[in-house]
Amino acid sequence: MAEAKRIVVKVGSSSISGDNSWQIAPLVLALAAAHRRGAEVVLVSSGAIATGMPFLELDARPDDLATQQAAAAVGQSVLVHRYQAALDPYGIVAGQVLLTANDMEDPTHRENAHRAMERLLALRILPIVNENDTVATNEIRFGDNDRLAALVARLIGAEVLVLLSDVDALYTKPPQQPGAEPIPYVGIGDELEGVEIQATTVNSVGTGGALTKVSAARHAAEAGIAVVLTSTHLVADALDGASVGTYFEPAPAN
């Protein structure tokens, strides 16, 4: 993990917005450390809608698509500004990349996205990727940024994908329930029998859940990408190769 040359890190809305916006600084510190040792780092960040909500005087995530799009339009620029301000002390420049599901499914669009990402990384820019919520509709959206992160990791041939959330690992049952035990390792083909994986949930600022993360982790691992699922406050440890969270074994190279 610590020797990986190309890394994708995904962080969710609840980890970097609202009362948790302070976590942007330690997250960026960990990314900068990996960047400084020569790794090519891509951040897939949710949070555009959540960041835009206060500016639209919204107390909860809007239900209608038009207001979601409006909140994303406002929040995306604010979010990238916050990331860039945090990156400035380390001399790192961020590049915003907004994608839709169609960009990954259409061969021409996918090649354009791949070319742009490769050039950004070659220029030592740190791409910050998000779904283009301003134009995405319910019918054509990724659904969650865990899936987007796995697709981006496969697109650029990343060696490592780190999926961050509010929970420090995958557990045998919802972690708040008695008897829940962390799962440190998931091997290729491991069916996780007996594990109670929560379905996708929607909270006041974002979407996601253990199910989406496991699905995304498997998708990346099947492509030979090592995956770590852990909490945002443990990102530095994860990128340093410490035994934190849940490790998904990558499929061997053909």
Side-chain angles (χ1 to χ4, degrees):
M1 186 70 68
E3 298 175 356
K5 299 300 183 184
R6 185 166 283 191
I7 302 166
V8 174
V9 177
K10 183 267 175 179
V11 66
S13 298
S14 61
S15 294
I16 47 88
S17 62
D19 292 339
N20 288 327
S21 59
W22 64 270
Q23 289 196 112
I24 288 179
L27 169 62
V28 165
L29 175 60
L31 300 180
H35 188 276
R36 185 167 56 247
R37 66 174 178 254
E40 296 174 334
V41 183
V42 175
L43 176 64
V44 177
S45 176
S46 303
I49 293 175
T51 300
M53 281 165 44
F55 296 92
L56 274 60
E57 300 182 353
L58 299 172
D59 296 324
R61 184 184 177 93
D63 294 326
D64 66 291
L65 180 61
T67 308
Q68 290 175 11
Q69 291 172 324
V74 173
Q76 189 62 47
S77 60
V78 175
L79 182 62
V80 171
H81 175 76
R82 289 175 180 173
Y83 276 123
Q84 186 58 67
L87 287 165
D88 282 342
Y90 310 106
I92 299 173
V93 176
Q96 179 176 258
V97 180
L98 299 177
L99 299 172
T100 65
N102 186 55
D103 293 323
M104 291 300 198
E105 296 168 358
D106 181 276
T108 301
H109 290 193
R110 186 170 61 248
E111 178 54 33
N112 287 338
H114 177 256
R115 181 171 57 248
M117 294 284 286
E118 288 290 343
R119 189 59 181 144
L120 286 168
L121 292 171
L123 292 169
R124 299 298 288 158
I125 303 298
L126 195 156
I128 298 178
V129 182
N130 195 3
E131 180 157 22
N132 193 346
D133 290 310
T134 303
V135 300
T137 65
N138 293 328
E139 291 75 24
I140 65 169
R141 64 186 304 115
F142 289 103
D144 62 85
N145 272 0
D146 297 308
R147 177 172 174 240
L148 171 59
L151 291 171
V152 168
R154 293 185 66 152
L155 177 72
I156 66 171
E159 298 165 69
V160 171
L161 169 62
V162 181
L163 297 174
L164 302 175
S165 72
D166 300 329
V167 183
D168 62 351
L170 177 66
Y171 281 75
T172 53
K173 60 177 68 176
Q176 68 273 17
Q177 294 185 6
E181 297 288 339
I183 301 171
Y185 183 89
V186 178
I188 289 294
D190 189 340
E191 296 298 327
L192 295 174
E193 292 184 8
V195 176
E196 298 177 23
I197 300 176
Q198 291 174 301
T200 300
T201 59
V202 180
N203 58 31
S204 62
V205 295
T207 63
L211 183 62
T212 67
K213 288 174 177 55
V214 170
S215 177
R218 289 192 185 281
H219 186 70
E222 289 170 358
I225 301 167
V227 182
V228 173
L229 192 162
T230 193
S231 60
T232 303
H233 77 275
L234 292 174
V235 60
D237 293 332
L239 293 177
D240 285 341
S243 296
V244 297
T246 300
Y247 179 82
F248 286 77
E249 176 192 17
N254 294 329

